Amino acid sequence: MLINKTDETTQQHPLRLWPGVTAAILMLFIRFFLPSLTPEAPESGVLGALLVSAFIVVWWAFLSRAPLTERWLAVALIIVALIVTPVILHESIATGMIGLMFLIFSLPTLSLAFVIWAVASQHIPNALRRTTMIATILLASCAWALVKTGGFDGNLQHDFAWRWADTH
């Protein structure tokens, strides 16, 4: 029996989710618990989470077993969202940390939301999966438009507030 690989109704291998889930759990540990274990290096949590986020993107693109269209659509949309979203951000987020604040903080948020989406949507039809994937990426990226920051302390703890909140 020949299987047409372009036919969306063909039986596919199930998604390989364990690397993404493991990476997401590791990212949360690195971001929130590692800095308390190494107070002399507070940047370890931020940079570690950023590295694990990059692994999550690599996992999705090469190890997830998702349809090729879905894999590259997600990677392309993540890149576009990271480039375009700064236009709608509060100035303190868009220009913070020499203009890298949005990238450094949004990539872990986006990759965590993406892993949650992948787990939650693994059994829904392909068209709905793709629609919810696009919505997840856009919402996780654009959610940063709701906040602003008053700066950060020596431990890289930011003074985040709602964008519409009164400033000091």
Side-chain angles (χ1 to χ4, degrees):
M1 176 177 174
L2 295 173
I3 297 176
N4 182 358
K5 293 191 180 219
T6 61
D7 185 6
E8 299 230 1
T9 62
T10 59
Q11 183 67 25
Q12 298 175 357
H13 293 287
L15 290 177
R16 182 180 293 136
L17 296 173
W18 69 266
V21 172
T22 304
I25 292 168
L26 178 64
M27 181 178 61
L28 290 172
F29 174 79
I30 288 172
R31 177 64 183 102
F32 296 108
F33 297 111
L34 184 63
S36 64
L37 299 175
T38 58
E40 66 279 355
E43 69 279 357
S44 61
V46 174
L47 296 177
L50 192 59
L51 287 173
V52 176
S53 298
F55 172 78
I56 289 173
V57 173
V58 170
W59 154 73
W60 182 255
F62 300 107
L63 303 172
S64 66
R65 291 187 190 154
L68 191 60
T69 306
E70 223 169 89
R71 288 188 270 163
W72 292 112
L73 176 64
V75 172
L77 190 56
I78 288 170
I79 292 168
V80 168
L82 291 174
I83 292 170
V84 173
T85 303
V87 172
I88 64 170
L89 297 176
H90 186 270
E91 183 181 2
S92 64
I93 301 289
T95 61
M97 299 171 67
I98 316 171
L100 296 175
M101 182 178 189
F102 172 68
L103 177 67
I104 290 170
F105 282 92
S106 68
L107 194 55
T109 305
L110 203 148
S111 61
L112 180 62
F114 193 81
V115 170
I116 292 169
W117 163 82
V119 170
S121 68
Q122 63 183 324
H123 298 297
I124 62 176
N126 285 344
L128 184 57
R129 272 178 54 82
R130 289 188 182 121
T131 303
T132 56
M133 176 185 70
I134 292 167
T136 299
I137 292 169
L138 293 177
L139 285 173
S141 181
C142 292
W144 283 93
L146 301 175
V147 296
K148 63 181 177 180
T149 183
F152 59 93
D153 62 17
N155 292 325
L156 294 179
Q157 297 301 315
H158 280 267
D159 179 22
F160 288 114
W162 294 114
R163 187 175 187 158
W164 53 86
D166 291 334
T167 56
H168 300 292

